[in-house]
Amino acid sequence: MALPTKQSAAPNNPSLLLPSELVDKCVNEKVWIIMKNGHKEFTGTLKGFDVYVNCVLEDAIEYDRDQESGKETTKNLESILLNGNNICMIVPGGERS
Amino acid sequence: MALPTKQSAAPNNPSLLLPSELVDKCVNEKVWIIMKNGHKEFTGTLKGFDVYVNCVLEDAIEYDRDQESGKETTKNLESILLNGNNICMIVPGGERS
Amino acid sequence: MALPTKQSAAPNNPSLLLPSELVDKCVNEKVWIIMKNGHKEFTGTLKGFDVYVNCVLEDAIEYDRDQESGKETTKNLESILLNGNNICMIVPGGERS
Amino acid sequence: MALPTKQSAAPNNPSLLLPSELVDKCVNEKVWIIMKNGHKEFTGTLKGFDVYVNCVLEDAIEYDRDQESGKETTKNLESILLNGNNICMIVPGGERS
Amino acid sequence: MALPTKQSAAPNNPSLLLPSELVDKCVNEKVWIIMKNGHKEFTGTLKGFDVYVNCVLEDAIEYDRDQESGKETTKNLESILLNGNNICMIVPGGERS
Amino acid sequence: MALPTKQSAAPNNPSLLLPSELVDKCVNEKVWIIMKNGHKEFTGTLKGFDVYVNCVLEDAIEYDRDQESGKETTKNLESILLNGNNICMIVPGGERS
Amino acid sequence: MALPTKQSAAPNNPSLLLPSELVDKCVNEKVWIIMKNGHKEFTGTLKGFDVYVNCVLEDAIEYDRDQESGKETTKNLESILLNGNNICMIVPGGERS
C-alpha cells in the first residue's frame, strides 16, 4: 500500500516510532524475520539494511517448515543477505514465540 | 489501482477523510490489520507508519488461521514491523469482529 | 495496463466520465467494492480516497465467500481503510446484485 | 513488457493504430473486456478511461464462469470502474464471440 | 530483468536487431503472440503498439487451451487490444508451429 | 532485489564481469534462456536486447516440459522476441546441459 | 519492503555492513544463492553484479529439487546470468549447509 503525500504521522508526537527508526534500533541486535512465503523464518544479528530493507544477518538460523508434513528444519548460516522484497515482518529481539 | 492526475476528492467537502488522515488518527491507538494472504491478521497499538504504510505495532497479537483445518493460533509479539505491501485492510479500534 | 502518452479520451466529449471523476462522485455515497481475490467484497459509504484508490469506507459490511463451501460470511465494520492495490472493481450505489 | 526508447512504430505509416487511439475510438461505444483472471468478462459502454486504462463502463454486464463447474453467471451493473491492472484484453464492439 | 546503465549491445554491430526494431518491422504484418498464462495465444495483423508493448491486432484469432482437457478453442476477433504486461513472446510471421 | 546506491563492485577489479557486459558478449552468439515458470527454455542466437533484457533470438528452439507427464516438446522458431520480465537465467554458449 | 527516507542505519556504527558492501565483498568469491521459488539454488564464483543484484556466476552448479519426489538434480554451468528479481537470499562462502 502506498500513500501519496503522506503528512508523516504527527511528527511532534513523542511516542511515534517510524519503521526506519525501529529497524535502525535493531542494528547489532537480534531480530526474527518472517518471510512472505509463510514457511521460512530467520533469526540472527542484524548487521545492516538499506532503503529496500534488504537485510544482512550474522550468526543466522533459518527455520523452514515443510508445508506437507509441517516438520521444521533449521540451518546455521554464518552471514546472509535477505531480499527485502520477500520480508513480511521483522520482530526486534529475535525470540521466536 | 492508480489514478493519473487525481483531483483529490472534493477538497472542500468537510466530511472527507483521506486514507493518510485515517491512519494518522490511529497512531497510539489500537488497530486491526488484515494481511493480503487472507489468513494472517494482527491487532496492536500503532506506533508509527510511513508512505508505504509499513506499520510499527506494539503489544501486538498475531492471529494465523490454518488453511486446511481452519484452526487459529495466536502469538503475542512485543513490537513488530509489518511490510505495507502485504496489508489488505486496516480497521481503526482494533476490535476483531 | 498503462498507456504512454494518453491523449485523454476526447476531452470535449460531454458524456465522458473519467475514472477519477466517477470515484469523486461516490464520496459520501454508498459503494460496492469487489477485491481482486474474487471472494471478498465490501459495501459502505466512501469517505475518502487517494491517487492509489486506497479507500476509506464507513459503516462497511465485508462479504467473504468460502472458496470450498461457497458459504458467505459477513462482518460489520465501523470504518476501514482498503489497499487500492487489491481492488478489482468499484460499483457506485452500493447495491450488491 | 516495456521497451526503453521506443521509436513509435513507423509514425507516418497511415494504417498505424496506437493502443491509446483504439481505446479513444471506443469511448461511448460498446466494448468487451476480458480480465486477467481468465474467468471474468464485461460488456458495456465505455464512458471514459485514463493512462492506466482504468475503465468506466455503463449498462455493464459481468460474465463470471465458475472454474469448477464451468457454469456462467451474469450480473447487470448500471455503472462500474474497472482496475486497468486486471484487464487482459479489450475488444471494440462489445459482441462476445 | 532490468540492467542499470546498459550500454546498448554493440551499437555499431550491423547484425544487431533491437527488440523495438523487431516489433517495428512487424507493423502491418502477421504476428503470433504467446501470453504469460501459458494457455492463451493470438495470431493477427499487428496494427500498432506502444512502449509497454500493448498491441493492437486486426483479424485476430484467439487460441485457448483448456488446462484440464488440453482441448483448444478458437475465436475470431475483428480487432483487439492486448495488455503488454501479459505478453510472454512475440513471433513475427504469425505461423503457429 | 535492488540496491540503493550501489557502489558498483570494485570497478578496478579486472576480473569483474558486469551483467550487461556478459549479455553484450552474447550478441550474435548462441544462448540458452531459462524462463521463470520453470518449464519453458529457449536456445538460439541472440540478435539483440535492451535495458529490460527483452531478447531477440534467431533460429530459436523452444523446449516446453509438460508439468504433469514431464514430457518435453520442442518448436523451431525462426525469430522471436522474449519478454525480459519472464527470464530467470541466461547461459552463454547455448548448450543445454 | 521499502522505506521512504531511510536515515541509513547508524552511519558511524563501525560494525555496520550494508547489503551492497556484503555483495561487493563476495566478488571473485564463492557464493550460495537461493531463489524465490524455493526449490532452485546455485553455487559458484560471483564475477559481477549490478544495482538490481543481477548476478554473473562462473563455474556454477544448479541444484533443483523436484517438488513432488524431493529428488535433487544438479547441473554444471560454466557461466550464467541470474535475474536479481528471482533471488531470495545470498550466502557468502558458497558452502551449502
Side-chain angles (χ1 to χ4, degrees), chain A residues 20 24 28 47-52 54 56 75 79-81 83-84 86, chain G residues 1-3 6 9 13 15-18 23 36 87-90 92 97:
Chain A
S20 52
D24 256 345
N28 279 328
K47 297 308 289 179
F49 67 99
D50 58 28
V51 286
Y52 299 109
N54 300 315
V56 176
K75 279 183 199 155
S79 102
I80 60 174
L81 169 59
N83 182 344
N86 289 25
Chain G
M1 198 188 296
L3 296 174
K6 190 197 83 46
N13 177 331
S15 71
L16 184 72
L17 180 61
L18 288 175
V23 188
K36 273 188 194 172
I87 291 177
C88 176
M89 182 165 79
I90 297 178
S97 70

PDB file of all heavy atoms in Angstrom, chain A residues 20 24 28 47-52 54 56 75 79-81 83-84 86, chain G residues 1-3 6 9 13 15-18 23 36 87-90 92 97:
ATOM      1  N   SER A  20      11.565   3.084   9.862  1.00  0.00           N
ATOM      2  CA  SER A  20      13.028   3.122   9.662  1.00  0.00           C
ATOM      3  C   SER A  20      13.748   3.244  11.008  1.00  0.00           C
ATOM      4  O   SER A  20      14.825   2.685  11.211  1.00  0.00           O
ATOM      5  CB  SER A  20      13.403   4.298   8.762  1.00  0.00           C
ATOM      6  OG  SER A  20      12.839   5.501   9.270  1.00  0.00           O
ATOM      7  N   ASP A  24      16.490   0.760  12.503  1.00  0.00           N
ATOM      8  CA  ASP A  24      17.767   1.344  12.954  1.00  0.00           C
ATOM      9  C   ASP A  24      18.150   0.808  14.329  1.00  0.00           C
ATOM     10  O   ASP A  24      19.280   0.421  14.593  1.00  0.00           O
ATOM     11  CB  ASP A  24      17.603   2.870  13.066  1.00  0.00           C
ATOM     12  CG  ASP A  24      18.263   3.593  11.891  1.00  0.00           C
ATOM     13  OD1 ASP A  24      19.068   2.947  11.176  1.00  0.00           O
ATOM     14  OD2 ASP A  24      17.964   4.770  11.680  1.00  0.00           O
ATOM     15  N   ASN A  28      22.854  -4.479  15.018  1.00  0.00           N
ATOM     16  CA  ASN A  28      23.702  -5.125  16.031  1.00  0.00           C
ATOM     17  C   ASN A  28      22.895  -5.804  17.123  1.00  0.00           C
ATOM     18  O   ASN A  28      23.452  -6.207  18.142  1.00  0.00           O
ATOM     19  CB  ASN A  28      24.720  -4.148  16.634  1.00  0.00           C
ATOM     20  CG  ASN A  28      25.927  -3.992  15.716  1.00  0.00           C
ATOM     21  OD1 ASN A  28      26.287  -4.950  15.018  1.00  0.00           O
ATOM     22  ND2 ASN A  28      26.485  -2.807  15.672  1.00  0.00           N
ATOM     23  N   LYS A  47      23.137  -6.835  10.894  1.00  0.00           N
ATOM     24  CA  LYS A  47      24.403  -6.079  10.745  1.00  0.00           C
ATOM     25  C   LYS A  47      24.219  -4.852   9.864  1.00  0.00           C
ATOM     26  O   LYS A  47      25.019  -3.919   9.881  1.00  0.00           O
ATOM     27  CB  LYS A  47      25.503  -6.966  10.147  1.00  0.00           C
ATOM     28  CG  LYS A  47      25.888  -8.147  11.007  1.00  0.00           C
ATOM     29  CD  LYS A  47      26.224  -7.773  12.436  1.00  0.00           C
ATOM     30  CE  LYS A  47      27.547  -7.011  12.559  1.00  0.00           C
ATOM     31  NZ  LYS A  47      27.857  -6.629  13.954  1.00  0.00           N
ATOM     32  N   GLY A  48      23.151  -4.862   9.045  1.00  0.00           N
ATOM     33  CA  GLY A  48      22.931  -3.697   8.189  1.00  0.00           C
ATOM     34  C   GLY A  48      21.696  -3.880   7.330  1.00  0.00           C
ATOM     35  O   GLY A  48      21.214  -5.016   7.162  1.00  0.00           O
ATOM     36  N   PHE A  49      21.170  -2.770   6.793  1.00  0.00           N
ATOM     37  CA  PHE A  49      19.998  -2.830   5.913  1.00  0.00           C
ATOM     38  C   PHE A  49      20.020  -1.589   5.044  1.00  0.00           C
ATOM     39  O   PHE A  49      20.845  -0.678   5.248  1.00  0.00           O
ATOM     40  CB  PHE A  49      18.714  -2.911   6.736  1.00  0.00           C
ATOM     41  CG  PHE A  49      18.431  -1.668   7.531  1.00  0.00           C
ATOM     42  CD1 PHE A  49      17.528  -0.715   7.051  1.00  0.00           C
ATOM     43  CD2 PHE A  49      19.084  -1.414   8.726  1.00  0.00           C
ATOM     44  CE1 PHE A  49      17.289   0.454   7.758  1.00  0.00           C
ATOM     45  CE2 PHE A  49      18.846  -0.249   9.441  1.00  0.00           C
ATOM     46  CZ  PHE A  49      17.955   0.683   8.965  1.00  0.00           C
ATOM     47  N   ASP A  50      19.152  -1.560   4.043  1.00  0.00           N
ATOM     48  CA  ASP A  50      19.110  -0.371   3.179  1.00  0.00           C
ATOM     49  C   ASP A  50      17.655   0.052   2.945  1.00  0.00           C
ATOM     50  O   ASP A  50      16.742  -0.494   3.573  1.00  0.00           O
ATOM     51  CB  ASP A  50      19.832  -0.666   1.847  1.00  0.00           C
ATOM     52  CG  ASP A  50      19.221  -1.840   1.101  1.00  0.00           C
ATOM     53  OD1 ASP A  50      17.998  -2.088   1.264  1.00  0.00           O
ATOM     54  OD2 ASP A  50      19.946  -2.547   0.375  1.00  0.00           O
ATOM     55  N   VAL A  51      17.442   0.991   2.023  1.00  0.00           N
ATOM     56  CA  VAL A  51      16.077   1.539   1.849  1.00  0.00           C
ATOM     57  C   VAL A  51      15.087   0.484   1.343  1.00  0.00           C
ATOM     58  O   VAL A  51      13.880   0.675   1.452  1.00  0.00           O
ATOM     59  CB  VAL A  51      16.038   2.727   0.856  1.00  0.00           C
ATOM     60  CG1 VAL A  51      16.604   3.959   1.460  1.00  0.00           C
ATOM     61  CG2 VAL A  51      16.659   2.360  -0.467  1.00  0.00           C
ATOM     62  N   TYR A  52      15.569  -0.609   0.821  1.00  0.00           N
ATOM     63  CA  TYR A  52      14.637  -1.675   0.387  1.00  0.00           C
ATOM     64  C   TYR A  52      14.502  -2.742   1.474  1.00  0.00           C
ATOM     65  O   TYR A  52      13.963  -3.803   1.261  1.00  0.00           O
ATOM     66  CB  TYR A  52      15.131  -2.292  -0.926  1.00  0.00           C
ATOM     67  CG  TYR A  52      15.203  -1.290  -2.041  1.00  0.00           C
ATOM     68  CD1 TYR A  52      16.426  -0.844  -2.526  1.00  0.00           C
ATOM     69  CD2 TYR A  52      14.042  -0.729  -2.566  1.00  0.00           C
ATOM     70  CE1 TYR A  52      16.489   0.114  -3.530  1.00  0.00           C
ATOM     71  CE2 TYR A  52      14.096   0.225  -3.572  1.00  0.00           C
ATOM     72  CZ  TYR A  52      15.325   0.647  -4.039  1.00  0.00           C
ATOM     73  OH  TYR A  52      15.391   1.601  -5.010  1.00  0.00           O
ATOM     74  N   ASN A  54      16.623  -4.686   2.386  1.00  0.00           N
ATOM     75  CA  ASN A  54      17.481  -5.863   2.241  1.00  0.00           C
ATOM     76  C   ASN A  54      18.256  -5.951   3.565  1.00  0.00           C
ATOM     77  O   ASN A  54      18.731  -4.917   4.056  1.00  0.00           O
ATOM     78  CB  ASN A  54      18.466  -5.683   1.081  1.00  0.00           C
ATOM     79  CG  ASN A  54      17.747  -5.479  -0.259  1.00  0.00           C
ATOM     80  OD1 ASN A  54      16.797  -6.207  -0.565  1.00  0.00           O
ATOM     81  ND2 ASN A  54      18.163  -4.491  -1.040  1.00  0.00           N
ATOM     82  N   VAL A  56      21.246  -7.681   6.129  1.00  0.00           N
ATOM     83  CA  VAL A  56      22.433  -8.519   6.357  1.00  0.00           C
ATOM     84  C   VAL A  56      22.330  -9.073   7.772  1.00  0.00           C
ATOM     85  O   VAL A  56      22.252  -8.312   8.741  1.00  0.00           O
ATOM     86  CB  VAL A  56      23.733  -7.690   6.220  1.00  0.00           C
ATOM     87  CG1 VAL A  56      24.953  -8.576   6.555  1.00  0.00           C
ATOM     88  CG2 VAL A  56      23.852  -7.110   4.817  1.00  0.00           C
ATOM     89  N   LYS A  75      18.832 -24.408   9.710  1.00  0.00           N
ATOM     90  CA  LYS A  75      20.183 -24.331   9.133  1.00  0.00           C
ATOM     91  C   LYS A  75      20.932 -23.195   9.818  1.00  0.00           C
ATOM     92  O   LYS A  75      20.364 -22.099   9.978  1.00  0.00           O
ATOM     93  CB  LYS A  75      20.117 -23.994   7.636  1.00  0.00           C
ATOM     94  CG  LYS A  75      19.821 -25.138   6.704  1.00  0.00           C
ATOM     95  CD  LYS A  75      19.861 -24.627   5.252  1.00  0.00           C
ATOM     96  CE  LYS A  75      19.125 -25.612   4.324  1.00  0.00           C
ATOM     97  NZ  LYS A  75      18.621 -24.957   3.107  1.00  0.00           N
ATOM     98  N   SER A  79      26.668 -15.821   7.623  1.00  0.00           N
ATOM     99  CA  SER A  79      26.160 -14.473   7.295  1.00  0.00           C
ATOM    100  C   SER A  79      25.362 -14.566   6.006  1.00  0.00           C
ATOM    101  O   SER A  79      25.697 -15.351   5.107  1.00  0.00           O
ATOM    102  CB  SER A  79      27.329 -13.487   7.164  1.00  0.00           C
ATOM    103  OG  SER A  79      27.619 -13.225   5.816  1.00  0.00           O
ATOM    104  N   ILE A  80      24.275 -13.829   5.947  1.00  0.00           N
ATOM    105  CA  ILE A  80      23.382 -13.921   4.781  1.00  0.00           C
ATOM    106  C   ILE A  80      22.866 -12.538   4.410  1.00  0.00           C
ATOM    107  O   ILE A  80      22.843 -11.618   5.237  1.00  0.00           O
ATOM    108  CB  ILE A  80      22.161 -14.835   5.065  1.00  0.00           C
ATOM    109  CG1 ILE A  80      21.309 -14.318   6.232  1.00  0.00           C
ATOM    110  CG2 ILE A  80      22.589 -16.263   5.303  1.00  0.00           C
ATOM    111  CD1 ILE A  80      20.028 -15.105   6.435  1.00  0.00           C
ATOM    112  N   LEU A  81      22.458 -12.420   3.144  1.00  0.00           N
ATOM    113  CA  LEU A  81      21.773 -11.216   2.663  1.00  0.00           C
ATOM    114  C   LEU A  81      20.372 -11.623   2.236  1.00  0.00           C
ATOM    115  O   LEU A  81      20.212 -12.492   1.371  1.00  0.00           O
ATOM    116  CB  LEU A  81      22.532 -10.612   1.474  1.00  0.00           C
ATOM    117  CG  LEU A  81      21.782  -9.491   0.707  1.00  0.00           C
ATOM    118  CD1 LEU A  81      21.447  -8.324   1.629  1.00  0.00           C
ATOM    119  CD2 LEU A  81      22.639  -9.002  -0.465  1.00  0.00           C
ATOM    120  N   ASN A  83      16.627 -10.664   0.616  1.00  0.00           N
ATOM    121  CA  ASN A  83      15.949  -9.726  -0.294  1.00  0.00           C
ATOM    122  C   ASN A  83      14.750  -9.101   0.430  1.00  0.00           C
ATOM    123  O   ASN A  83      13.803  -9.791   0.784  1.00  0.00           O
ATOM    124  CB  ASN A  83      15.487 -10.514  -1.532  1.00  0.00           C
ATOM    125  CG  ASN A  83      14.811  -9.629  -2.569  1.00  0.00           C
ATOM    126  OD1 ASN A  83      14.411  -8.505  -2.274  1.00  0.00           O
ATOM    127  ND2 ASN A  83      14.704 -10.127  -3.790  1.00  0.00           N
ATOM    128  N   GLY A  84      14.816  -7.789   0.623  1.00  0.00           N
ATOM    129  CA  GLY A  84      13.764  -7.087   1.363  1.00  0.00           C
ATOM    130  C   GLY A  84      12.379  -7.296   0.789  1.00  0.00           C
ATOM    131  O   GLY A  84      11.378  -7.244   1.495  1.00  0.00           O
ATOM    132  N   ASN A  86      10.993  -9.900  -0.059  1.00  0.00           N
ATOM    133  CA  ASN A  86      10.361 -11.144   0.413  1.00  0.00           C
ATOM    134  C   ASN A  86      10.037 -11.121   1.890  1.00  0.00           C
ATOM    135  O   ASN A  86       9.570 -12.108   2.429  1.00  0.00           O
ATOM    136  CB  ASN A  86      11.308 -12.328   0.151  1.00  0.00           C
ATOM    137  CG  ASN A  86      11.391 -12.637  -1.325  1.00  0.00           C
ATOM    138  OD1 ASN A  86      11.147 -11.753  -2.148  1.00  0.00           O
ATOM    139  ND2 ASN A  86      11.760 -13.849  -1.651  1.00  0.00           N
TER     140      ASN A  86
ATOM    141  N   MET G   1       9.873  -4.723   0.666  1.00  0.00           N
ATOM    142  CA  MET G   1       9.558  -3.622   1.596  1.00  0.00           C
ATOM    143  C   MET G   1      10.447  -2.441   1.211  1.00  0.00           C
ATOM    144  O   MET G   1      11.587  -2.641   0.783  1.00  0.00           O
ATOM    145  CB  MET G   1       9.859  -4.059   3.044  1.00  0.00           C
ATOM    146  CG  MET G   1       9.200  -3.204   4.104  1.00  0.00           C
ATOM    147  SD  MET G   1       9.704  -3.552   5.797  1.00  0.00           S
ATOM    148  CE  MET G   1       9.124  -5.224   6.028  1.00  0.00           C
ATOM    149  N   ALA G   2       9.943  -1.254   1.288  1.00  0.00           N
ATOM    150  CA  ALA G   2      10.773  -0.068   1.021  1.00  0.00           C
ATOM    151  C   ALA G   2      10.569   0.899   2.167  1.00  0.00           C
ATOM    152  O   ALA G   2       9.520   0.912   2.800  1.00  0.00           O
ATOM    153  CB  ALA G   2      10.367   0.566  -0.302  1.00  0.00           C
ATOM    154  N   LEU G   3      11.595   1.670   2.473  1.00  0.00           N
ATOM    155  CA  LEU G   3      11.498   2.720   3.484  1.00  0.00           C
ATOM    156  C   LEU G   3      11.622   4.046   2.746  1.00  0.00           C
ATOM    157  O   LEU G   3      12.436   4.166   1.827  1.00  0.00           O
ATOM    158  CB  LEU G   3      12.619   2.559   4.522  1.00  0.00           C
ATOM    159  CG  LEU G   3      12.578   1.278   5.361  1.00  0.00           C
ATOM    160  CD1 LEU G   3      13.823   1.181   6.248  1.00  0.00           C
ATOM    161  CD2 LEU G   3      11.325   1.216   6.211  1.00  0.00           C
ATOM    162  N   LYS G   6      15.157   6.763   4.349  1.00  0.00           N
ATOM    163  CA  LYS G   6      15.800   5.957   5.384  1.00  0.00           C
ATOM    164  C   LYS G   6      17.088   6.635   5.801  1.00  0.00           C
ATOM    165  O   LYS G   6      18.040   6.724   5.047  1.00  0.00           O
ATOM    166  CB  LYS G   6      16.112   4.557   4.841  1.00  0.00           C
ATOM    167  CG  LYS G   6      16.564   3.560   5.916  1.00  0.00           C
ATOM    168  CD  LYS G   6      17.228   2.358   5.339  1.00  0.00           C
ATOM    169  CE  LYS G   6      18.723   2.641   5.047  1.00  0.00           C
ATOM    170  NZ  LYS G   6      19.426   3.317   6.159  1.00  0.00           N
ATOM    171  N   ALA G   9      21.224   3.249   8.522  1.00  0.00           N
ATOM    172  CA  ALA G   9      21.495   2.703   9.877  1.00  0.00           C
ATOM    173  C   ALA G   9      22.713   3.436  10.404  1.00  0.00           C
ATOM    174  O   ALA G   9      23.610   3.807   9.649  1.00  0.00           O
ATOM    175  CB  ALA G   9      21.756   1.216   9.783  1.00  0.00           C
ATOM    176  N   ASN G  13      28.346   3.685  12.905  1.00  0.00           N
ATOM    177  CA  ASN G  13      28.472   2.476  13.707  1.00  0.00           C
ATOM    178  C   ASN G  13      29.438   1.549  12.977  1.00  0.00           C
ATOM    179  O   ASN G  13      29.114   1.002  11.933  1.00  0.00           O
ATOM    180  CB  ASN G  13      27.057   1.842  13.817  1.00  0.00           C
ATOM    181  CG  ASN G  13      27.158   0.536  14.592  1.00  0.00           C
ATOM    182  OD1 ASN G  13      28.197  -0.116  14.548  1.00  0.00           O
ATOM    183  ND2 ASN G  13      26.114   0.201  15.317  1.00  0.00           N
ATOM    184  N   SER G  15      30.436  -1.414  13.059  1.00  0.00           N
ATOM    185  CA  SER G  15      30.157  -2.818  12.725  1.00  0.00           C
ATOM    186  C   SER G  15      29.105  -2.917  11.619  1.00  0.00           C
ATOM    187  O   SER G  15      28.725  -3.961  11.183  1.00  0.00           O
ATOM    188  CB  SER G  15      29.612  -3.539  13.956  1.00  0.00           C
ATOM    189  OG  SER G  15      28.282  -3.025  14.159  1.00  0.00           O
ATOM    190  N   LEU G  16      28.646  -1.802  11.127  1.00  0.00           N
ATOM    191  CA  LEU G  16      27.580  -1.845  10.137  1.00  0.00           C
ATOM    192  C   LEU G  16      28.096  -2.455   8.843  1.00  0.00           C
ATOM    193  O   LEU G  16      29.218  -2.180   8.397  1.00  0.00           O
ATOM    194  CB  LEU G  16      27.070  -0.432   9.865  1.00  0.00           C
ATOM    195  CG  LEU G  16      25.890  -0.380   8.903  1.00  0.00           C
ATOM    196  CD1 LEU G  16      24.641  -0.925   9.590  1.00  0.00           C
ATOM    197  CD2 LEU G  16      25.673   1.032   8.434  1.00  0.00           C
ATOM    198  N   LEU G  17      27.297  -3.284   8.227  1.00  0.00           N
ATOM    199  CA  LEU G  17      27.666  -3.906   6.950  1.00  0.00           C
ATOM    200  C   LEU G  17      26.466  -3.770   6.025  1.00  0.00           C
ATOM    201  O   LEU G  17      25.464  -4.483   6.181  1.00  0.00           O
ATOM    202  CB  LEU G  17      28.023  -5.392   7.156  1.00  0.00           C
ATOM    203  CG  LEU G  17      28.424  -6.156   5.892  1.00  0.00           C
ATOM    204  CD1 LEU G  17      29.674  -5.531   5.258  1.00  0.00           C
ATOM    205  CD2 LEU G  17      28.673  -7.616   6.210  1.00  0.00           C
ATOM    206  N   LEU G  18      26.539  -2.825   5.095  1.00  0.00           N
ATOM    207  CA  LEU G  18      25.413  -2.593   4.189  1.00  0.00           C
ATOM    208  C   LEU G  18      25.279  -3.760   3.203  1.00  0.00           C
ATOM    209  O   LEU G  18      26.281  -4.380   2.827  1.00  0.00           O
ATOM    210  CB  LEU G  18      25.614  -1.280   3.417  1.00  0.00           C
ATOM    211  CG  LEU G  18      25.449  -0.007   4.240  1.00  0.00           C
ATOM    212  CD1 LEU G  18      25.796   1.220   3.402  1.00  0.00           C
ATOM    213  CD2 LEU G  18      24.009   0.113   4.748  1.00  0.00           C
ATOM    214  N   VAL G  23      27.709  -7.769  -0.761  1.00  0.00           N
ATOM    215  CA  VAL G  23      27.810  -8.364  -2.097  1.00  0.00           C
ATOM    216  C   VAL G  23      29.151  -7.998  -2.739  1.00  0.00           C
ATOM    217  O   VAL G  23      29.822  -8.833  -3.348  1.00  0.00           O
ATOM    218  CB  VAL G  23      26.631  -7.913  -2.993  1.00  0.00           C
ATOM    219  CG1 VAL G  23      26.646  -8.684  -4.316  1.00  0.00           C
ATOM    220  CG2 VAL G  23      25.303  -8.151  -2.288  1.00  0.00           C
ATOM    221  N   LYS G  36      13.768 -17.479  -5.240  1.00  0.00           N
ATOM    222  CA  LYS G  36      12.468 -17.253  -4.581  1.00  0.00           C
ATOM    223  C   LYS G  36      11.566 -18.480  -4.664  1.00  0.00           C
ATOM    224  O   LYS G  36      10.754 -18.728  -3.786  1.00  0.00           O
ATOM    225  CB  LYS G  36      11.736 -16.097  -5.277  1.00  0.00           C
ATOM    226  CG  LYS G  36      12.089 -14.722  -4.747  1.00  0.00           C
ATOM    227  CD  LYS G  36      11.176 -13.675  -5.346  1.00  0.00           C
ATOM    228  CE  LYS G  36      11.720 -12.271  -5.091  1.00  0.00           C
ATOM    229  NZ  LYS G  36      10.972 -11.238  -5.809  1.00  0.00           N
ATOM    230  N   ILE G  87      15.969 -13.643  -6.871  1.00  0.00           N
ATOM    231  CA  ILE G  87      16.870 -14.089  -5.795  1.00  0.00           C
ATOM    232  C   ILE G  87      16.237 -13.804  -4.435  1.00  0.00           C
ATOM    233  O   ILE G  87      15.769 -12.696  -4.187  1.00  0.00           O
ATOM    234  CB  ILE G  87      18.242 -13.404  -5.921  1.00  0.00           C
ATOM    235  CG1 ILE G  87      18.971 -13.934  -7.178  1.00  0.00           C
ATOM    236  CG2 ILE G  87      19.089 -13.643  -4.678  1.00  0.00           C
ATOM    237  CD1 ILE G  87      20.306 -13.278  -7.447  1.00  0.00           C
ATOM    238  N   CYS G  88      16.219 -14.799  -3.565  1.00  0.00           N
ATOM    239  CA  CYS G  88      15.669 -14.613  -2.214  1.00  0.00           C
ATOM    240  C   CYS G  88      16.789 -14.360  -1.218  1.00  0.00           C
ATOM    241  O   CYS G  88      16.660 -13.514  -0.342  1.00  0.00           O
ATOM    242  CB  CYS G  88      14.887 -15.869  -1.802  1.00  0.00           C
ATOM    243  SG  CYS G  88      14.270 -15.783  -0.110  1.00  0.00           S
ATOM    244  N   MET G  89      17.928 -15.067  -1.383  1.00  0.00           N
ATOM    245  CA  MET G  89      18.982 -14.981  -0.351  1.00  0.00           C
ATOM    246  C   MET G  89      20.353 -15.262  -0.959  1.00  0.00           C
ATOM    247  O   MET G  89      20.477 -16.095  -1.861  1.00  0.00           O
ATOM    248  CB  MET G  89      18.665 -16.013   0.729  1.00  0.00           C
ATOM    249  CG  MET G  89      19.617 -16.047   1.905  1.00  0.00           C
ATOM    250  SD  MET G  89      18.954 -16.960   3.327  1.00  0.00           S
ATOM    251  CE  MET G  89      19.237 -18.651   2.837  1.00  0.00           C
ATOM    252  N   ILE G  90      21.364 -14.542  -0.478  1.00  0.00           N
ATOM    253  CA  ILE G  90      22.748 -14.778  -0.901  1.00  0.00           C
ATOM    254  C   ILE G  90      23.571 -15.115   0.343  1.00  0.00           C
ATOM    255  O   ILE G  90      23.491 -14.398   1.355  1.00  0.00           O
ATOM    256  CB  ILE G  90      23.331 -13.534  -1.604  1.00  0.00           C
ATOM    257  CG1 ILE G  90      22.556 -13.228  -2.893  1.00  0.00           C
ATOM    258  CG2 ILE G  90      24.816 -13.728  -1.890  1.00  0.00           C
ATOM    259  CD1 ILE G  90      23.039 -11.997  -3.621  1.00  0.00           C
ATOM    260  N   PRO G  92      27.394 -15.730   1.507  1.00  0.00           N
ATOM    261  CA  PRO G  92      28.812 -15.700   1.151  1.00  0.00           C
ATOM    262  C   PRO G  92      29.469 -17.033   1.509  1.00  0.00           C
ATOM    263  O   PRO G  92      29.035 -17.712   2.445  1.00  0.00           O
ATOM    264  CB  PRO G  92      29.365 -14.566   2.025  1.00  0.00           C
ATOM    265  CG  PRO G  92      28.185 -13.766   2.472  1.00  0.00           C
ATOM    266  CD  PRO G  92      27.038 -14.731   2.528  1.00  0.00           C
ATOM    267  N   SER G  97      24.673 -25.571   3.339  1.00  0.00           N
ATOM    268  CA  SER G  97      24.517 -26.356   4.587  1.00  0.00           C
ATOM    269  C   SER G  97      23.188 -27.069   4.503  1.00  0.00           C
ATOM    270  O   SER G  97      22.234 -26.569   3.911  1.00  0.00           O
ATOM    271  CB  SER G  97      24.543 -25.408   5.781  1.00  0.00           C
ATOM    272  OG  SER G  97      23.370 -24.644   5.783  1.00  0.00           O
TER     273      SER G  97
END
